[in-house]
Amino acid sequence: MITVHPHFSIFYHSDDQRKNIEELIEKIKDKKPYITFKTSGSTGAPKRIKHKKAALTSSARKTITYFQLTDKNSAALCLSVEHIAGAMMLIRSMVGGLTLHVLPTSTNTIDYIKSPIDFIAMVPMQLESCLTSDLGLKNIQLCSKILVGGAPITNSLNKALIDKKISAFHSYGMTETITHVAIKKIGFLGNDFYKTLEGISVEIIEECLCINYPEISDTPIETNDRIELIDQSSFRWLGRLDHVINSGGIKVSPEILENKLSDRINTPFIFAGIPDNRLGEKLVIILQENVEIEKSLNKDFFGSYVDRFEIPKSYCIIEHLEWNKNNKIDRIQTLKKAIKRGWEELL
């Protein structure tokens, strides 16, 4: 059982999650030692993972300590509690005695904020939406500590935060680690590396990041993430090993390429690899329909911003990229859609 702080309170500004939240609160308060969560399925088939309530409490306390939250503070929930990120916002509030405001899980969730909020967690798409309107910008400035996770932060989003002098925190974590194990400051006065939370260390085993988190696992938690290790508590994220494209013996990370071009291509897009008899894998780009972008799709355009071997060989324009319920691009389904549509050679 998770001990609920007596000062915890909850206010619903939207009813779209009330049923799910009430069901989760019952699970939090019952005597079972575990709660089961499902992964987002962004890198494979969704699966269910059980976490001990003691570990959930420990994770909540690490976040409360890191952000220096007290029972006099407020929090906002605008993520689905069916997944670990949203569920942990509820659990942190219950453990820390925070006043929790439940907002819609939509991209314009920030419009519902009417008073200052001490702590909010959202995905990059929601944060980006805040910067596109006067109301969104006004309301996000009411939030003292903004935690962003679930997808990489693009250069364009980071630059927008800097321009607006907004500071935020980008999390590194997953369902297996009960959300974040490391945090990087982004936007105004940000930096370029993640720092682990107290009691957590990292190392590289067989090219990938491994996480030492004693409260969750007796052995290192293996990931498919490529990193630059600074020390046992600091690292730079380079991308996922299972996304790496091996084109003619040269390994290309799509996430790094996407970040390089994020403020140059004004439409959602991803890089991918498709089978090729000569290269093994051919680098391609898949873009969402945009008339202006189509006019600039040529080798000279890409050559202005990326290295020669990072220029895609072919492209495909589709009506829209596929997204999952966590507002992450579903790379597998998007690639399938592009393969069905067919490729155009880049000239």
Side-chain angles (χ1 to χ4, degrees), residues 146-182:
I146 306 162
L147 180 64
V148 193
I153 298 295
T154 62
N155 280 337
S156 57
L157 175 54
N158 196 50
K159 286 179 180 178
L161 292 172
I162 294 170
D163 290 343
K164 305 295 185 184
K165 295 188 176 179
I166 295 172
S167 293
F169 299 86
H170 191 231
S171 66
Y172 173 84
M174 59 206 78
T175 306
E176 290 85 345
T177 60
I178 313 181
T179 67
H180 49 265
V181 294

Side-chain angles (χ1 to χ4, degrees), residues 312-328:
K313 303 293 185 185
S314 304
Y315 69 92
C316 179
I317 297 172
I318 57 180
E319 185 178 354
H320 59 83
L321 274 60
E322 295 297 315
W323 300 77
N324 64 23
K325 291 181 180 179
N326 275 12
N327 290 317
K328 299 180 188 178

Side-chain angles (χ1 to χ4, degrees), residues 159 257 259-265 271 296-312 346-347:
K159 286 179 180 178
L257 276 187
N259 199 32
K260 283 183 180 181
L261 291 163
S262 64
D263 55 351
R264 304 294 178 181
I265 299 179
F271 282 90
S296 61
L297 282 179
N298 55 65
K299 291 180 180 178
D300 289 340
F301 167 77
F302 287 100
S304 300
Y305 307 110
V306 301
D307 293 334
R308 178 175 56 83
F309 59 86
E310 296 174 324
I311 297 174
L346 198 71
L347 302 176

Side-chain angles (χ1 to χ4, degrees), residues 117-329:
I117 295 290
D118 297 303
F119 183 49
I120 186 171
M122 54 178 54
V123 296
M125 183 184 292
Q126 289 172 316
L127 179 56
E128 198 163 14
S129 177
C130 299
L131 309 180
T132 60
S133 70
D134 291 340
L135 177 60
L137 184 59
K138 175 186 173 183
N139 286 356
I140 197 64
Q141 290 172 334
L142 290 173
C143 301
S144 301
K145 293 162 184 173
I146 306 162
L147 180 64
V148 193
I153 298 295
T154 62
N155 280 337
S156 57
L157 175 54
N158 196 50
K159 286 179 180 178
L161 292 172
I162 294 170
D163 290 343
K164 305 295 185 184
K165 295 188 176 179
I166 295 172
S167 293
F169 299 86
H170 191 231
S171 66
Y172 173 84
M174 59 206 78
T175 306
E176 290 85 345
T177 60
I178 313 181
T179 67
H180 49 265
V181 294
I183 290 175
K184 174 177 72 173
K185 192 171 183 181
I186 59 172
F188 191 60
L189 302 178
N191 54 47
D192 66 347
F193 63 88
Y194 293 91
K195 185 80 174 173
T196 61
L197 300 185
E198 186 178 358
I200 301 171
S201 64
V202 293
E203 59 184 318
I204 295 177
I205 299 178
E206 296 182 355
E207 296 188 65
C208 289
L209 168 68
C210 284
I211 302 160
N212 299 300
Y213 194 162
E215 289 96 333
I216 293 179
S217 175
D218 295 331
T219 58
I221 300 170
E222 299 178 0
T223 77
N224 279 321
D225 289 314
R226 298 167 56 244
I227 65 162
E228 175 191 341
L229 188 67
I230 300 173
D231 55 42
Q232 289 187 328
S233 62
S234 307
F235 63 92
R236 292 184 180 90
W237 184 78
L238 302 178
R240 289 188 61 84
L241 188 65
D242 48 358
H243 291 166
V244 168
I245 301 155
N246 191 335
S247 185
I250 297 175
K251 293 182 178 180
V252 179
S253 171
E255 292 95 344
I256 291 177
L257 276 187
E258 289 155 11
N259 199 32
K260 283 183 180 181
L261 291 163
S262 64
D263 55 351
R264 304 294 178 181
I265 299 179
N266 190 27
T267 191
F269 70 97
I270 61 167
F271 282 90
I274 60 174
D276 182 83
N277 291 333
R278 185 171 65 88
L279 298 171
E281 280 187 293
K282 181 168 68 171
L283 181 64
V284 298
I285 185 170
I286 306 166
L287 308 102
Q288 192 160 292
E289 282 183 346
N290 182 304
V291 175
E292 292 302 314
I293 290 300
E294 291 180 41
K295 295 177 183 177
S296 61
L297 282 179
N298 55 65
K299 291 180 180 178
D300 289 340
F301 167 77
F302 287 100
S304 300
Y305 307 110
V306 301
D307 293 334
R308 178 175 56 83
F309 59 86
E310 296 174 324
I311 297 174
K313 303 293 185 185
S314 304
Y315 69 92
C316 179
I317 297 172
I318 57 180
E319 185 178 354
H320 59 83
L321 274 60
E322 295 297 315
W323 300 77
N324 64 23
K325 291 181 180 179
N326 275 12
N327 290 317
K328 299 180 188 178
I329 294 176

Side-chain angles (χ1 to χ4, degrees), residues 42 243 254-255 258 270-271 329-335:
S42 57
H243 291 166
E255 292 95 344
E258 289 155 11
I270 61 167
F271 282 90
I329 294 176
D330 189 323
R331 291 178 180 269
I332 295 172
Q333 294 304 319
T334 295
L335 179 56

